[in-house]
């Protein structure tokens, strides 16, 4: 959640909730503390305040690669911070315990877009693997995206210069493909008009280790 600095008439800033607690979207709506968090299975996961420069380079490059080819389709590309409320058909988004902030996602159903984010699963998600977030992105969030039927999920590693592609099969399970190297040109399965040259994507990265 975003935080607005108080003026002189505002009450004191709210305290952060207990990180050991279990929460839902109803709690999430009420929080006013500073910083971004995700809810995964009801547990709070704080997000990195300032991602590494290579992380931000890749987000910008990928956004550029995705937006122009999709201009003629009823699909929108979204960047973090962008709240995604993961729900299944018939579920009340206010009760969900899973609210995530993908680095990039594509949503093709306009009915999922609300003033406060996306209610339901995006069609396609990309997470940039930073050293501080890789375990979560390749573990809890991969499982969550599979459970909620995200059709395709990419994990992009700027340290290894690899893209890990996971495609949902008819049984609702992710099938991982062989990691894509910098010599590859790849496209999401449902968006073949998008072509991403990984040599260009990974060009001129600093490859500095995070502090």
């Amino acid at each position: 959640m975003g935080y607005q600095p108080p003026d002189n008439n505002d009450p004191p800033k709210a305290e952060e909730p207990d990180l050991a607690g279990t929460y839902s979207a109803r709690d999430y709506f009420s929080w006013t503390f500073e910083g971004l968090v995700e809810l995964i299975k009801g547990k709070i996961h704080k997000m990195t305040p300032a991602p590494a420069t290579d992380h931000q380079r890749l987000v910008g490059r990928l956004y550029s690669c995705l937006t122009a080819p999709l201009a003629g389709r009823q699909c929108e590309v979204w960047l973090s911070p962008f709240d995604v409320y993961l729900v299944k058909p018939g579920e009340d988004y206010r009760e969900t315990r899973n609210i995530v902030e993908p680095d990039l996602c594509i949503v093709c159903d306009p009915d999922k877009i609300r003033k406060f984010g996306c209610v339901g699963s995006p069609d396609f998600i990309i997470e940039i693997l930073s050293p501080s977030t890789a375990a979560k992105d390749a573990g809890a969030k991969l499982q969550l995206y599979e459970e909620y039927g995200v059709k395709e999920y990419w994990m992009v590693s700027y340290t290894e210069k690899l893209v890990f592609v996971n495609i949902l099969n008819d049984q609702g399970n992710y099938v991982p493909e062989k990691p894509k190297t910098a010599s590859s040109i790849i496209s999401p399965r449902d968006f073949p008009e998008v072509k991403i040259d990984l040599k260009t994507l990974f060009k001129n990265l600093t490859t500095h280790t995070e502090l």
Side-chain angles (χ1 to χ4, degrees):
M1 295 288 288
Y3 169 69
Q4 298 298 322
D7 60 32
N8 292 335
N9 297 318
D10 282 339
K13 185 172 66 174
E15 296 294 327
E16 292 188 11
D18 181 359
L19 296 182
T22 300
Y23 303 97
S24 72
R26 292 186 185 275
D27 302 300
Y28 186 81
F29 290 141
S30 71
W31 293 336
T32 57
F33 59 87
E34 186 175 0
L36 292 173
V37 300
E38 296 179 302
L39 277 185
I40 298 178
K41 303 294 186 182
K43 297 299 183 181
I44 295 174
H45 293 256
K46 290 187 174 183
M47 299 186 68
T48 304
T53 52
D54 282 342
H55 179 286
Q56 297 303 83
R57 281 194 180 103
L58 289 184
V59 167
R61 292 173 187 178
L62 286 164
Y63 182 79
S64 297
C65 290
L66 294 171
T67 49
L70 296 178
R73 295 183 60 169
Q74 186 176 272
C75 299
E76 291 186 89
V77 183
W78 297 92
L79 296 167
S80 179
F82 179 65
D83 290 350
V84 173
Y85 296 75
L86 293 173
V87 295
K88 296 178 180 178
E91 292 182 345
D92 185 343
Y93 73 89
R94 290 165 293 191
E95 302 298 335
T96 186
R97 295 187 174 188
N98 297 297
I99 306 171
V100 292
E101 300 273 349
D103 287 317
L104 300 106
C105 65
I106 297 175
V107 181
C108 294
D109 182 352
D111 291 337
K112 291 183 177 180
I113 302 302
R114 311 288 180 87
K115 290 182 179 180
F116 51 83
C118 175
V119 174
S121 298
D123 297 87
F124 175 57
I125 287 178
I126 299 177
E127 299 281 11
I128 311 300
L129 299 182
S130 300
S132 60
T133 66
K136 179 178 68 173
D137 291 336
K141 292 182 84 171
L142 183 147
Q143 294 171 12
L144 204 61
Y145 295 155
E146 180 181 65
E147 178 183 348
Y148 283 90
V150 176
K151 297 176 184 177
E152 188 163 352
Y153 173 39
W154 290 7
M155 295 177 288
V156 180
S157 171
Y158 58 79
T159 57
E160 298 178 279
K161 297 186 178 179
L162 293 172
V163 177
F164 302 90
V165 174
N166 298 275
I167 297 178
L168 206 68
N169 64 16
D170 293 339
Q171 290 72 46
N173 300 314
Y174 275 142
V175 178
E177 296 189 351
K178 182 179 178 181
K180 311 301 182 184
T181 66
S183 62
S184 304
I185 297 175
I186 60 176
S187 301
R189 180 185 60 182
D190 289 346
F191 307 101
E193 63 270 50
V194 174
K195 300 186 186 302
I196 300 176
D197 184 336
L198 298 189
K199 182 177 181 180
T200 301
L201 180 69
F202 292 127
K203 184 177 180 180
N204 295 331
L205 298 182
T206 60
T207 66
H208 291 168
T209 302
E210 289 185 319
L211 297 177

